Amino acid sequence: MRNLNHETITEAVLERQDKTADPRLKQIMTSLVRHLHDFAREVQLTEDEWFKGIEFLTRCGDITDGKRQEFILLSDVLGLSMLTVAMNNDKPAQCTEATVFGPFHVQGAPDYELGADISNGARGIPCLVRGTVRDANGAPVPHARMDVWQSDEDGRYDVQYTDIDHAQARGVLHADADGRYHFRSILAVPYAIPDDGPVGDLLEATGRHPWRPAHLHFMIEAPGYETLITHVFRSDDPYLDSDAVFGVRQSLIAEWKAQPDGSYLVEYDFVLNPVAARMP
Ligand code: BEZ
Ligand code: FE
């Protein structure tokens, strides 16, 4: 196998990995090599550009640590995360849609009683959040576990502060026997995804902003139902049509209603998909 050229090298690589034992890995690697090579041929990639790409990925690796995941951020801004969510979460129309997980979830957030204030010192305008967790027939899903997280009024999550070592504006609650939930937190605001690294440079170079529309994150689990990872978005947000990570779904938009005392109220009803009802 010598004197390979820009046409024959693709088949040579595929032949070389032909003995891949795992059929799924073989399918993925075959497609990846084909698409990568076709991409390079299509744009007639120069050696300088190839090296710039390597430098970019190296910077993504250098800035990644336990608290910062630049590769997930890259996947998010390229729409790959949302594409993967969309392909793997086809549900009946009545069910609440899924969206991106994002990098700011923390395992082991504190448990709260229904009605508690989960802000725990995070700065922001007080907000009451309430609604129900039901199945597609409208029957309550009792005692669903609801893991909730959000940013503060400066658009930052607790884990983004070096001087905060306890959970703020995140927590785990359980809906009641009738599927009802309510808790206090703070008003969700739009925020910029971390843009001080290579992904931020990419956004700037491609004429894009780093903003996400205001949202609350939810991960909802109940026996017999698919885990739902989603957001609820604020209907009056200016970034709903240009979310930096393409996560907005019309069905996930709710109105945050200003209350006479200056606080806010948002109500949202979640509909879970039974495990057996997964579409093919
Ligand atoms: C988030 O909503 O927390 C998020 C999602 C994707 C990238 C950055 C942040
Ligand atoms: Fe978020």
Side-chain angles (χ1 to χ4, degrees):
M1 205 175 278
R2 296 186 185 174
N3 301 333
L4 294 165
N5 64 30
H6 64 276
E7 296 294 349
T8 56
I9 190 163
T10 305
E11 290 309 316
V13 176
L14 296 182
E15 205 180 310
R16 192 74 58 87
Q17 62 188 30
D18 197 45
K19 293 193 192 64
T20 307
D22 179 335
R24 178 65 175 157
L25 178 63
K26 186 169 178 179
Q27 181 189 15
I28 289 173
M29 287 306 299
T30 300
S31 184
L32 182 68
V33 167
R34 278 200 197 288
H35 283 278
L36 267 180
H37 286 208
D38 282 346
F39 155 74
R41 279 185 285 260
E42 182 181 315
V43 301
Q44 289 292 300
L45 195 68
T46 69
E47 286 164 284
D48 267 0
E49 289 160 347
W50 171 85
F51 194 63
K52 276 202 175 110
I54 297 293
E55 280 179 333
F56 177 84
L57 292 174
T58 304
R59 287 178 60 211
C60 289
D62 287 345
I63 204 170
T64 294
D65 60 22
K67 287 193 156 182
R68 170 98 181 230
Q69 231 303 354
E70 199 74 0
F71 289 103
I72 292 185
L73 211 54
L74 178 60
S75 161
D76 293 341
V77 303
L78 293 178
L80 181 61
S81 308
M82 196 56 215
L83 169 62
T84 308
V85 168
M87 285 189 302
N88 288 281
N89 286 276
D90 231 353
K91 306 171 204 253
Q94 317 88 292
C95 294
T96 305
E97 291 183 279
T99 189
V100 285
F101 193 44
F104 298 125
H105 176 258
V106 172
Q107 286 286 355
D111 281 309
Y112 288 100
E113 296 292 321
L114 277 182
D117 183 351
I118 70 163
S119 61
N120 198 24
R123 281 172 297 109
I125 297 174
C127 179
L128 176 64
V129 186
R130 70 181 179 209
T132 58
V133 183
R134 297 184 174 276
D135 69 16
N137 299 318
V141 174
H143 308 299
R145 180 182 190 275
M146 308 181 76
D147 194 338
V148 188
W149 65 107
Q150 70 163 110
S151 71
D152 67 10
E153 68 181 6
D154 292 325
R156 296 176 80 187
Y157 288 80
D158 52 3
V159 290
Q160 292 178 282
Y161 290 95
T162 48
D163 56 344
I164 293 180
D165 62 359
H166 60 284
Q168 288 191 334
R170 67 174 72 243
V172 175
L173 308 112
H174 287 81
D176 69 15
D178 298 320
R180 285 189 301 250
Y181 72 90
H182 67 292
F183 62 90
R184 294 184 182 282
S185 190
I186 49 178
L187 180 64
V189 298
Y191 65 82
I193 63 171
D195 63 346
D196 55 345
V199 169
D201 293 347
L202 180 67
L203 290 178
E204 176 148 12
T206 52
R208 293 174 54 179
H209 70 68
W211 289 88
R212 295 217 65 205
H215 58 271
L216 295 177
H217 290 260
F218 287 88
M219 175 158 64
I220 305 180
E221 293 168 286
Y225 294 90
E226 289 178 4
T227 297
L228 173 65
I229 295 172
T230 196
H231 304 358
V232 179
F233 292 94
R234 248 178 86 179
S235 57
D236 56 354
D237 195 284
Y239 298 110
L240 283 172
D241 291 314
S242 63
D243 180 7
V245 304
F246 307 96
V248 179
R249 292 284 167 275
Q250 183 63 36
S251 67
L252 300 177
I253 297 173
E255 191 183 347
W256 263 246
K257 294 181 179 144
Q259 303 298 293
D261 66 355
S263 70
Y264 278 78
L265 166 68
V266 58
E267 295 175 287
Y268 195 86
D269 295 333
F270 295 95
V271 179
L272 302 187
N273 194 27
V275 170
R278 156 88 58 208
M279 287 172 106

